Amino acid sequence: MSQQYPLKEVKGDAVCFVPGSPIFSVLMEPASFCYPRLTFLRSPYGQFGASAGSSQDLAPWPQRLVTQRWTGPVDESPPAAMSRNGYFFEESGYLKCDTDDGCEAKEETGGEELFDAVNSSIVSGDSIRFFVNVNLEVPPNATAENESAGCVLLHTSRKYLKLKNFEEEVRAHRDLDGFLARASIILDETATSLDDVLREMLKHFAEDPENMEPSCNFEKIMSTLFTDSGTPREGNGTHDVSESTGMNTQTCTSHLKFHLLSDTIQGVTATVTGVQYQQSWLCIICTIKSLQRRHVCISRLERPQNWGENSCEVRFVILVLAPPKMKSTKTATEVGRTFATMFSDITFRQKLLETKTEEEFKEALVHQRHLLTVVNQRPSAMSDGHKSHGPKPLKLHEFLNVGKGISDDIARRFPVYALDFTDGVTGNNKAIGKYITTMIFLYFACLLPSIAFGSLNDENTRGVIDVQKTIVGQCIGGLLYALFSGQPLVVLLTTAPLALYINVIRGICDDYNLDFSAFYAWIGLWNSFFLVMYSLFNFSLLMKLFKRSTEEIIALFISITFVLDAFKGIIKVFKKYYYHGRTGDSYLEKARTDAIPSLGINITFLMNSSVSRSMSLENQTGTHDVHYGRETAVLSLMLMLGTLWLGHTLYQFKKSPYLHARVREILSDCALPISVLTFSVVGSYIFKEIEMSKFNYNPSESLFVLAPVQSLSIGSVMSAMGLGFLLSMLFFIEQNIVASLTNAPENRLVKGTAYHWDLLLVALINTGLSIFGLPWIHAAFPHSPMHVRALAYVEERVENGHIYETIVSVKETRLTSLVANFLVGLSLLLLPFPLQWIPKPVLYGLFLYIALTSIDGNQLFERVALLLKEQTAYPPTHYIRRVPQRKIHYFTGLQVLQLLILCGFGMSPLPYMKMIFPLIMIGMIPIRYNLLPRIIEAKYLDAMDAEH
């Protein structure tokens, strides 16, 4: 008689197949402890009986394999692999199940294989783990080759999903509302195998008129729900099918298949000793191309079913079907996550077991949604209550504490001042190569705008402020700021709005016969005075009122000004050389007439001939042939677009698979200088016979001449105070917003901020620049965030098919700004040659490059782009998950309207309207806090203004 292990309080339903001997079976109920699972193989000639010691002849039964578990306390357990009196045992792991339907799984390896057995664990893409035992019968004369002939490969992966936040993610409510509108609920399903349960659920879909899918093949859906793998197998035996564990094991003479679920979601809880599985429910998700919409069916089984390891007492099955082309928040996984979050509550599952009708079942779902929403609101109100209803109110005493902000900034930054020079140079984490590439990038990023805006100021001021003075002011101001600022990653430059102001000031001086140098100096002094007052009275605290959306409107406005400056410049070139081609021909005609005055040649005939444009004048004058006209305009357009294309291509080159990663990073960091130098050579050397527009250079006799500030009357000085106040508003907003974008949380800067001290330092720097007639400078966008990006170490992650870049760390140093601005000063030695080799169209291409790279990461631009995308291409961002799509588009439209108003004032042809556009920026604060909440709920506004 076969040996058995003593049992105490045995519960279960284990069937053991024993070769040549009867077997015993034990009826089983769920127990608190599960002991080693034993697999028994029955001989083709064996018999089995209803209990130990009794036998029945059941020879007509097919050869079968049954896998079950022993439960209940056991005094002794069998070894991993053994044979006792004809019994074959294989221990393939054990489970420990808690009474709250959790299950902790631990695996132990078995001993030598006594027969061909495949013990595999499959984990779906959504945190579900299924342990599958497939035991195959081997003929007695099987060889080693036969044993490995049926081997297949099984890929296993695990992914944890976050519980859905019903308070923040609006899609959770919409998923449930959609289900309740056409609910597909099966109560007390009597089917026992997983295949039968799924077939009944699909049948319920087919019979429901509200869920009809005329082009859908449910047999195909059934096959898609499972991962079927087949391998050829030699041997002679009978056809055997078993569905006892929710999976089909089919053994034939020529083919073997095993049947596993493809994609599932199941609740798990991490503990000190392992992972506990919620085994009473199972969510199965599937993507079907032939579906037209999403479908959800919930089936409550009449009694718990044992469908394999970690699913030993399933009472609820949730089936989610969805078409593949869906918005990222509407996919089958997201819908499954909604219902899985609800079913993860054991109290809720108990209530569902007590429901009698579908209406009661629906009411339980609605009640659970309410509970999840309330539970999620409580911690949010405790931790982030000040964020959900606006910023923390500012108190008057915070502004009356004179100089406190400056002293706090110095106390915060001075202890790490020495590290700003040594980080990345000494120690283990050296970054000298990154510093060198950043210095080169920053040198060109500072020099080229100085040339461009210096040339513009030279035209607007008739040579009073020229390229040479702009470069000198940039060098001096940049060096002082790099040495003494609290945030050295901020880059100071003269910018397009400042060029607009200078042009307006020149117009006022012409209208009222004022000395430009004196009036310019007084405006700059008043501007510095107000900035000092702002810093002493801690006005930078007001920047807390500027939300992310407001900052992005202003940042996008600055990017638009770069684009407009580029197009204005190229339009001037086309007006001069393309549309007025005859004017260009007259220039050529005059040059040729002067070159051959004594020859009686019909110049008109030559001008109309194709030969005249390529005629060489070297024999007569020794000069090169220079072409004017349409070729100049076309080449200018090519240089501008070529600079943009090459710069942006190299900037994105780090994302390509070509070359080594370090080479890609260097090319990306040096994209700006490479593109500028390349197309400067193309325009000035390769096409040297075509005349190109270059910036003016008039060497100044003295760069440092004090402005005659005493020459203005009191009335003029007071009027300069008004203009200085408006200019100080521009400085205050630009300096603080750019500093805020530089210190953004996603940049992971660690050395602290210094808004008040930096504002005071900018005031002092511009005081000296105003007195000597040098152009003003302040924090520049997007150069400052680009400087941070150049010094950052970035990692990429993929989420739902979208690539996201995350900054890991940033080298916070002063060396890059110091060296770059020092090189800008040395560039005075390169005037006029070779800097005049840089054609103006290349500078216009530089403006477009700066504008294009600055919108990278701008949420306003991303949300505008959503209007042109189909929903399946929407990225899974935080606001897509938390805000209804219509609200997102409303908010985007209101932002665009504010941007248009700002552009209307800042780019108006009326000079005095340009002066007040800083006040429009300030006016965005009450719009954000008083007007927008009347149109869009405050919680949605806060979600779209969140950092991530």
Side-chain angles (χ1 to χ4, degrees):
M1 183 175 179
S2 61
Q3 179 178 351
Q4 300 177 21
Y5 292 95
L7 300 175
K8 296 181 180 180
E9 300 180 1
V10 174
K11 301 178 182 180
D13 185 7
V15 182
C16 308
F17 296 92
V18 183
S21 303
I23 72 161
F24 60 92
S25 66
V26 183
L27 296 179
M28 159 179 169
E29 296 175 1
S32 300
F33 299 96
C34 302
Y35 283 85
R37 181 181 60 191
L38 308 180
T39 303
F40 303 89
L41 184 65
R42 175 180 179 270
S43 166
Y45 310 103
Q47 299 173 339
F48 67 91
S51 62
S54 64
S55 63
Q56 287 180 320
D57 185 8
L58 298 176
W61 280 48
Q63 302 176 34
R64 300 190 59 180
L65 168 98
V66 177
T67 303
Q68 269 296 353
R69 293 170 300 177
W70 287 96
T71 60
V74 176
D75 295 334
E76 184 181 0
S77 60
M82 61 181 299
S83 174
R84 296 190 179 185
N85 298 334
Y87 287 85
F88 291 99
F89 299 93
E90 181 189 7
E91 181 179 347
S92 54
Y94 65 89
L95 305 170
K96 180 180 179 181
C97 300
D98 295 331
T99 55
D100 61 347
D101 73 5
C103 180
E104 177 184 349
K106 297 182 181 179
E107 299 180 29
E108 295 179 0
T109 59
E112 66 174 299
E113 298 180 0
L114 302 180
F115 46 84
D116 185 6
V118 181
N119 293 316
S120 60
S121 66
I122 182 169
V123 183
S124 76
D126 304 282
S127 307
I128 308 311
R129 191 175 178 187
F130 289 97
F131 289 87
V132 181
N133 265 7
V134 181
N135 298 277
L136 312 179
E137 178 183 334
V138 183
N141 57 353
T143 62
E145 294 181 359
N146 295 111
E147 291 179 0
S148 61
C151 177
V152 295
L153 300 179
L154 185 64
H155 175 246
T156 301
S157 64
R158 291 179 174 87
K159 177 184 176 183
Y160 285 95
L161 299 177
K162 293 182 179 179
L163 294 175
K164 184 158 285 189
N165 190 323
F166 275 67
E167 193 270 331
E168 293 184 350
E169 298 189 55
V170 294
R171 182 51 58 184
H173 297 270
R174 296 193 173 187
D175 289 340
L176 184 57
D177 291 338
F179 172 74
L180 295 176
R182 51 181 189 274
S184 183
I185 301 173
I186 302 177
L187 300 181
D188 299 329
E189 173 60 50
T190 58
T192 58
S193 69
L194 179 58
D195 282 40
D196 290 342
V197 171
L198 292 177
R199 283 194 175 91
E200 288 296 326
M201 298 174 79
L202 294 176
K203 182 180 178 182
H204 196 271
F205 278 137
E207 295 175 351
D208 189 351
E210 295 183 357
N211 293 297
M212 289 293 292
E213 291 282 355
S215 61
C216 188
N217 186 343
F218 286 100
E219 286 299 326
K220 186 176 181 181
I221 295 179
M222 193 67 189
S223 63
T224 308
L225 292 174
F226 293 90
T227 300
D228 291 328
S229 180
T231 58
R233 185 72 178 182
E234 295 181 359
N236 43 12
T238 59
H239 185 268
D240 187 13
V241 180
S242 173
E243 296 180 343
S244 60
T245 61
M247 53 202 119
N248 291 349
T249 304
Q250 188 172 11
T251 307
C252 306
T253 59
S254 61
H255 199 73
L256 164 74
K257 283 188 177 181
F258 39 99
H259 205 39
L260 310 175
L261 284 172
S262 298
D263 208 355
T264 55
I265 302 176
Q266 190 174 3
V268 295
T269 304
T271 64
V272 178
T273 56
V275 176
Q276 292 184 341
Y277 288 79
Q278 295 181 353
Q279 303 196 45
S280 65
W281 64 275
L282 183 63
C283 181
I284 304 170
I285 59 179
C286 186
T287 300
I288 307 295
K289 292 183 180 180
S290 58
L291 292 181
Q292 298 179 358
R293 60 183 180 182
R294 298 171 299 162
H295 299 275
V296 179
C297 181
I298 301 177
S299 178
R300 187 184 69 186
L301 307 184
E302 187 178 23
R303 58 174 54 89
Q305 298 298 327
N306 189 340
W307 288 339
E309 195 167 352
N310 301 325
S311 299
C312 63
E313 46 180 347
V314 178
R315 289 298 304 269
F316 298 97
V317 178
I318 306 110
L319 177 61
V320 179
L321 305 177
K325 290 187 177 182
M326 296 295 293
K327 187 178 175 182
S328 59
T329 55
K330 297 180 180 180
T331 61
T333 301
E334 287 298 317
V335 177
R337 194 164 70 96
T338 298
F339 288 93
T341 301
M342 302 180 72
F343 275 82
S344 62
D345 185 357
I346 187 174
T347 305
F348 170 65
R349 296 197 299 272
Q350 188 62 35
K351 289 181 180 179
L352 291 181
L353 291 176
E354 298 172 357
T355 58
K356 304 298 183 183
T357 63
E358 289 190 11
E359 291 302 322
E360 293 180 2
F361 200 96
K362 292 179 182 179
E363 291 176 1
L365 289 171
V366 174
H367 181 67
Q368 178 68 6
R369 173 176 62 180
H370 173 71
L371 292 179
L372 288 173
T373 304
V374 172
V375 168
N376 285 323
Q377 282 178 342
R378 288 173 183 167
S380 175
M382 303 242 338
S383 60
D384 297 327
H386 64 285
K387 294 182 180 179
S388 59
H389 301 288
K392 184 179 179 180
L394 297 173
K395 299 180 180 180
L396 181 62
H397 70 85
E398 296 182 77
F399 299 101
L400 298 179
N401 198 348
V402 180
K404 185 178 185 303
I406 297 175
S407 61
D408 290 344
D409 291 343
I410 294 176
R412 185 184 306 114
R413 290 292 304 190
F414 186 74
V416 295
Y417 183 78
L419 296 178
D420 292 337
F421 295 93
T422 59
D423 282 352
V425 178
T426 61
N428 296 327
N429 299 321
K430 295 183 180 180
I432 297 178
K434 182 172 282 291
Y435 283 3
I436 293 174
T437 57
T438 304
M439 290 171 187
I440 297 173
F441 153 75
L442 197 58
Y443 165 66
F444 281 89
C446 293
L447 176 64
L448 298 179
S450 298
I451 294 175
F453 291 119
S455 176
L456 182 61
N457 289 331
D458 185 34
E459 297 175 3
N460 294 336
T461 63
R462 303 182 186 93
V464 177
I465 300 177
D466 57 7
V467 174
Q468 197 172 8
K469 285 189 174 182
T470 305
I471 292 178
V472 171
Q474 175 62 42
C475 176
I476 295 174
L479 287 174
L480 291 175
Y481 192 83
L483 283 172
F484 302 111
S485 67
Q487 182 49 273
L489 299 183
V490 172
V491 179
L492 297 191
L493 283 175
T494 185
T495 61
L498 292 179
L500 293 176
Y501 257 71
I502 293 174
N503 187 28
V504 172
I505 293 171
R506 180 74 226 191
I508 294 175
C509 291
D510 293 341
D511 292 341
Y512 295 95
N513 296 321
L514 299 176
D515 183 88
F516 175 79
S517 297
F519 195 60
Y520 175 84
W522 272 112
I523 292 176
L525 292 175
W526 281 116
N527 168 58
S528 298
F529 169 77
F530 287 116
L531 291 179
V532 171
M533 293 296 103
Y534 298 157
S535 60
L536 290 176
F537 288 95
N538 311 317
F539 272 36
S540 291
L541 294 174
L542 292 173
M543 295 308 298
K544 294 181 179 179
L545 300 177
F546 278 82
K547 289 285 191 176
R548 177 178 182 140
S549 56
T550 308
E551 294 175 354
E552 289 181 341
I553 292 174
I554 298 174
L556 200 55
F557 166 77
I558 297 173
S559 299
I560 292 175
T561 60
F562 277 106
V563 175
L564 288 182
D565 287 339
F567 280 105
K568 284 179 181 178
I570 202 67
I571 288 173
K572 286 182 180 179
V573 173
F574 266 74
K575 283 183 177 180
K576 182 177 180 180
Y577 294 106
Y578 192 89
Y579 294 106
H580 299 158
R582 294 182 179 179
T583 305
D585 291 341
S586 66
Y587 294 155
L588 182 59
E589 182 178 355
K590 183 178 183 299
R592 296 181 190 280
T593 304
D594 294 339
I596 46 176
S598 59
L599 299 179
I601 300 178
N602 190 336
I603 301 297
T604 304
F605 171 77
L606 292 177
M607 292 297 295
N608 291 333
S609 67
S610 60
V611 182
S612 65
R613 289 189 177 271
S614 60
M615 183 180 66
S616 174
L617 304 178
E618 287 187 276
N619 293 334
Q620 288 84 0
T621 63
T623 61
H624 293 284
D625 182 23
V626 179
H627 292 264
Y628 298 89
R630 293 187 172 183
E631 56 266 36
T632 298
V634 174
L635 181 60
S636 298
L637 180 62
M638 291 177 61
L639 292 179
M640 181 186 74
L641 297 180
T643 304
L644 170 65
W645 168 79
L646 182 59
H648 190 261
T649 300
L650 292 178
Y651 178 74
Q652 299 289 337
F653 193 72
K654 58 187 175 183
K655 299 179 182 179
S656 71
Y658 302 105
L659 304 181
H660 190 270
R662 180 56 183 163
V663 177
R664 295 198 300 266
E665 184 179 0
I666 293 175
L667 290 176
S668 179
D669 292 340
C670 297
L672 176 62
I674 291 175
S675 60
V676 170
L677 293 177
T678 299
F679 283 92
S680 295
V681 172
V682 171
S684 299
Y685 181 75
I686 297 179
F687 295 96
K688 59 185 177 182
E689 68 276 6
I690 300 178
E691 180 68 19
M692 296 303 301
S693 177
K694 295 181 173 61
F695 65 86
N696 296 325
Y697 173 68
N698 299 313
S700 303
E701 296 180 359
S702 178
L703 294 174
F704 301 98
V705 177
L706 290 174
V709 293
Q710 70 281 0
S711 62
L712 293 184
S713 63
I714 298 299
S716 300
V717 172
M718 291 296 103
S719 62
M721 181 180 67
L723 294 175
F725 172 75
L726 293 176
L727 183 62
S728 69
M729 299 298 294
L730 174 64
F731 267 75
F732 175 77
I733 295 173
E734 292 273 0
Q735 178 69 33
N736 283 284
I737 284 184
V738 172
S740 176
L741 294 173
T742 303
N743 294 304
E746 56 264 28
N747 291 338
R748 301 182 186 275
L749 303 182
V750 297
K751 293 184 178 179
T753 61
Y755 292 99
H756 311 281
W757 166 251
D758 287 350
L759 189 63
L760 176 62
L761 182 60
V762 168
L764 297 177
I765 291 174
N766 282 279
T767 299
L769 297 178
S770 301
I771 292 176
F772 290 102
L774 301 177
W776 301 308
I777 58 175
H778 60 62
F781 179 87
H783 303 76
S784 300
M786 291 172 67
H787 186 202
V788 174
R789 192 62 176 240
L791 292 171
Y793 291 95
V794 180
E795 287 184 352
E796 290 185 352
R797 59 184 175 86
V798 179
E799 182 178 346
N800 293 342
H802 297 266
I803 300 177
Y804 297 91
E805 291 186 345
T806 302
I807 293 179
V808 179
S809 63
V810 177
K811 291 294 182 182
E812 301 180 51
T813 180
R814 299 178 186 271
L815 297 178
T816 52
S817 294
L818 276 172
V819 175
N821 284 285
F822 178 74
L823 294 176
V824 169
L826 291 181
S827 299
L828 289 172
L829 303 177
L830 304 179
L831 286 173
F833 179 83
L835 288 184
Q836 269 197 324
W837 264 25
I838 303 177
K840 276 189 175 181
V842 174
L843 299 179
Y844 302 151
L846 165 70
F847 288 168
L848 293 179
Y849 169 81
I850 291 175
L852 184 60
T853 54
S854 67
I855 63 177
D856 188 17
N858 189 298
Q859 283 188 13
L860 172 57
F861 183 81
E862 292 176 355
R863 282 187 269 108
V864 171
L866 292 181
L867 298 172
L868 305 177
K869 294 181 180 180
E870 60 177 351
Q871 291 189 1
T872 56
Y874 281 16
T877 57
H878 66 279
Y879 54 85
I880 292 292
R881 293 183 180 278
R882 298 168 59 182
V883 184
Q885 181 176 325
R886 184 175 299 176
K887 302 292 184 180
I888 293 176
H889 294 329
Y890 284 167
F891 183 66
T892 303
L894 293 172
Q895 279 189 289
V896 172
L897 180 60
Q898 296 177 71
L899 177 62
L900 293 177
I901 294 174
L902 186 61
C903 291
F905 281 88
M907 303 171 188
S908 172
L910 302 177
Y912 294 101
M913 288 186 66
K914 297 178 181 179
M915 304 294 291
I916 63 174
F917 83 91
L919 298 179
I920 306 300
M921 297 182 184
I922 299 294
M924 292 180 181
I925 296 178
I927 291 176
R928 169 61 181 81
Y929 288 102
N930 297 324
L931 178 60
L932 293 186
R934 298 176 182 272
I935 304 174
I936 303 174
E937 291 87 336
K939 64 177 182 178
Y940 295 146
L941 292 175
D942 292 339
M944 287 182 283
D945 273 333
E947 296 297 336
H948 51 79

